[in-house]
Structure formats: C-alpha cells, structure tokens
Amino acid sequence: MHVAIVGAGSLGSVFGVRLANGAEKVRVSFVMRSAPAPGREPLGMRIEQVDRGSGVLALEAPVRTTAIPADADVILVCVRFEQVDGALAALLAPSRAPVVTMTPIFPQHHALLVRELGAERLFPGMPGVVAYSPGPGETSNGEGAPCVRYRYWLPRAATTLIEQPERRVPAIDALAQAFEGAGISSRAQAGVHATNVATTCTFVPVMMGIDVTGSIDALLGDDTALDLVLRAAEEARILARHYGKPAIWADWFVRFLSRSRLGAWAPKAMVAQSLRLGVGFARRRSPEGVAYVEEHFGRKLRAQNLQMAEKMVELFRERSLPHEAMAELRDRLRGPGSVA
C-alpha cells in the first residue's frame, strides 16, 4: 500500500514513520508544497514515544516529493488548520486517490474540498495521536544520520477514526488496518466528521485562552481572561451540539471547567483554585504533557487559533446563536485595538 502524506510536521511524521516501520510495511511518500532551497535538503525523521515504553523509530531517508505520486492508494492530509485552502485543494485535485483529512475540517473547509475534489474522495478523520517538535535543531537517528526529531503520545482512550460511508471503500479499510499494524489503534466508522467538528468547537476556546495570556498559569491568574474563556467555552459547547456529539473527554473537560458544574453560587476564586489544583496534579503526572499544551497552543499556533475563532464566529452567526464571549476572544487573538 502506498500512502502519500501531505504535511510532514509532527503528526504527519509520526503517522508516516510508524506506517513505514509497521508489521506490514507500507510505502510512504511525504508531499511538500515546494522543493527545499539549495543547501537545505531534507533530513531523516526520528520519533520518540513518550508513553508506553518510550519506543524510538526512524526513517533515515524519507521519500519526499512536491506532487501526489500517481500510484498513491490513499492521501493522508496532516497540515495545520489554516493551511486547508485552495492551494491544498489544487495539490490534491490531480490525483483520484481517496483523501483522509486528519486536520480538523470545519463545515467551510468541508464545502471547499467537496467542491474541488468531489464528496466521494473526501474522508474526514480524527487522529488518536498527540505529537510535537521539542524545538529547533537536529538529532541523530542513533546511527549517526541527522534527523528531525518529534515526540508523541498514543493515549489508550483515543482511537484514530476515519469516516466510513455506507458503501465501504477498500482503501479506507486498508488504511485503518495499516494503522493497526503500525500499533496505532484505528477504525473506520460513520459520523467522524460531525464528531471532529463538535469536539474541536468544544475544547479550543480554552486553548485560545492559553494563547491569549501566554501560559496556563497566566490564564488562571487573570480573572477577567479566565471568565471570558469559561463563557466562550460554554457558548462553544452549545454550538457543538448543532453539529454532532463531541468526544466524551472533550465534553467532560469543558463541563469540569464550567462554573455551572460547581453551581451558580460558586465564586470565581473557587473555580480558579479548582483549576490550579488540576493543573498541579497534571504537572506532577506529566510535566512534558503540560509543557506541550503551553507551547503548542500558547505560542506556536496563533495563526491556527485565530482562523478557528473566525470560522467559529461564522458558524455562530449561521445558527443565530449567542457568541459575545467567543467574538471577544477572537478579537483578543487579533491583537490590540481589533474590532468585531
């Protein structure tokens, strides 16, 4: 099986390296939007699993190309949210292979890709992998070859899901089986797109709050920002219900954060203190996990967070739902002096 991966960042690299090293090895090509500049030739890839024994896998010479290979059986899209655009559609259009999107695909993006590719080619997915780059620089693959390094988790409660239409598609079943062979729990099922939209809408306001304030501690120490984020999260939870049922962990997470969970009588100080205790526990159990959340959402993904906020406000308006807090959070992501 030949899998073409568009987006060779942390998530795409983990999928690609694991598939290429799986029990039944898969041919993997990484598709780049442009060729590297002279003297900037691509490096190998090394992935380090944080949980379940800290295994290490590497690809010394990954296959990279600037076009979808003609013999690709399936295309796996792992780009950032703001990179789902016309240029991506143009890159995918020449191929006839099924396209599985591991990027959260909002209704606006879904409409664009269906229009450009056809509904029969598009299969929204939902990754059960959490991955990040620990920072700039290179490392060795263990044998002296330079590699780009990524670290990742495979949470036991998370399964990589792929949309499965009523009429089964052999390439989608084969991809799910390839994931399983690579040690990534996976299955094809109906309703994945709706679940992904609902899940993303449910939890991202909290991540946006970390972005706006700069860190988890800064958010918890700013009563005004925390109140804004909690109100936006409650608005977003209502929006999510209009698109589907979020993953259980996301719904419980926001319910825990919601002041209504403690009762209308609960003072802000009690809410903030309960959150600080939760964060303190998380830091003791997984300091790297908390650092990942702060780096990934608090500093790295401003462009993604802003576009998510913009798209969510559009969805609120389409549904005529109250979104005062969400609009204000979006404006804070835009920067000082921004207006709705």
Side-chain angles (χ1 to χ4, degrees):
M1 185 179 187
H2 188 180
V3 179
I5 299 180
V6 180
S10 53
L11 182 61
S13 296
V14 170
F15 277 137
V17 174
R18 297 245 358 174
L19 285 170
N21 284 276
E24 296 182 6
K25 291 188 177 181
V26 174
R27 279 200 300 141
V28 175
S29 297
F30 294 92
V31 183
M32 304 180 294
R33 292 200 183 196
S34 59
R40 300 287 297 175
E41 288 75 15
L43 304 172
M45 297 173 177
R46 171 189 170 106
I47 61 171
E48 305 166 355
Q49 188 170 353
V50 179
D51 56 347
R52 305 192 202 179
S54 303
V56 176
L57 293 171
L59 280 181
E60 183 175 343
V63 175
R64 292 182 172 94
T65 179
T66 56
I68 306 296
D71 64 343
D73 295 298
V74 65
I75 302 168
L76 197 61
V77 175
C78 300
V79 301
R80 294 195 306 271
F81 184 86
E82 77 277 12
Q83 294 174 333
V84 181
D85 54 17
L88 174 66
L91 178 66
L92 300 172
S95 172
R96 301 312 303 165
V99 175
V100 176
T101 56
M102 287 300 169
T103 304
I105 299 296
F106 274 18
Q108 302 95 322
H109 293 140
H110 189 266
L112 166 68
L113 294 178
V114 166
R115 184 172 64 249
E116 298 298 327
L117 307 178
E120 71 283 354
R121 285 190 62 200
L122 186 61
F123 299 85
M126 189 169 176
V129 177
V130 179
Y132 79 107
S133 170
E138 302 165 5
T139 186
S140 167
N141 68 354
E143 301 177 356
C147 286
V148 181
R149 173 180 169 232
Y150 300 98
R151 290 177 63 78
Y152 70 103
W153 294 260
L154 290 176
R156 295 185 185 278
T159 297
T160 294
L161 303 176
I162 306 171
E163 188 77 49
Q164 180 68 278
E166 291 183 9
R167 181 174 177 271
R168 301 190 73 85
V169 177
I172 298 304
D173 287 334
L175 179 62
Q177 292 168 8
F179 278 143
E180 287 286 344
I184 299 173
S185 176
S186 177
R187 68 174 179 269
Q189 66 178 44
V192 174
H193 180 220
T195 299
N196 201 351
V197 173
T199 301
T200 304
C201 286
T202 297
F203 82 89
V204 294
V206 179
M207 303 301 106
M208 293 172 186
I210 296 172
D211 186 346
V212 165
T213 57
S215 71
I216 295 174
D217 289 338
L219 174 61
L220 296 180
D222 186 331
D223 288 343
T224 300
L226 180 60
D227 181 68
L228 173 64
V229 166
L230 294 179
R231 288 189 290 114
E234 188 60 28
E235 291 173 350
R237 194 164 68 88
I238 294 171
L239 173 68
R241 293 197 203 110
H242 286 260
Y243 291 94
K245 187 176 181 180
I248 292 177
W249 65 265
D251 193 44
W252 285 2
F253 175 65
V254 174
R255 284 176 179 272
F256 171 76
L257 293 179
S258 175
R259 294 173 65 186
S260 63
R261 186 70 174 172
L262 298 176
W265 51 267
K268 293 180 182 179
M270 180 181 292
V271 177
Q273 181 59 25
S274 68
L275 295 177
R276 290 189 189 98
L277 291 173
V279 171
F281 176 77
R283 278 203 172 98
R284 291 191 295 274
R285 289 294 301 271
S286 179
E288 184 174 0
V290 175
Y292 156 77
V293 169
E294 290 194 316
E295 174 63 26
H296 190 69
F297 294 100
R299 289 175 282 273
K300 178 182 176 184
L301 297 183
R302 169 58 60 92
Q304 173 171 288
N305 289 336
L306 177 56
Q307 188 176 117
M308 279 188 172
E310 301 279 9
K311 297 297 184 185
M312 285 179 67
V313 168
E314 290 178 8
L315 297 179
F316 275 111
R317 288 173 174 166
E318 288 176 7
R319 296 283 182 171
S320 299
L321 294 172
H323 58 281
E324 178 183 349
M326 192 67 232
E328 184 177 345
L329 185 56
R330 174 208 55 193
D331 289 346
R332 291 197 59 175
L333 285 166
R334 285 176 173 173
S338 62
V339 294

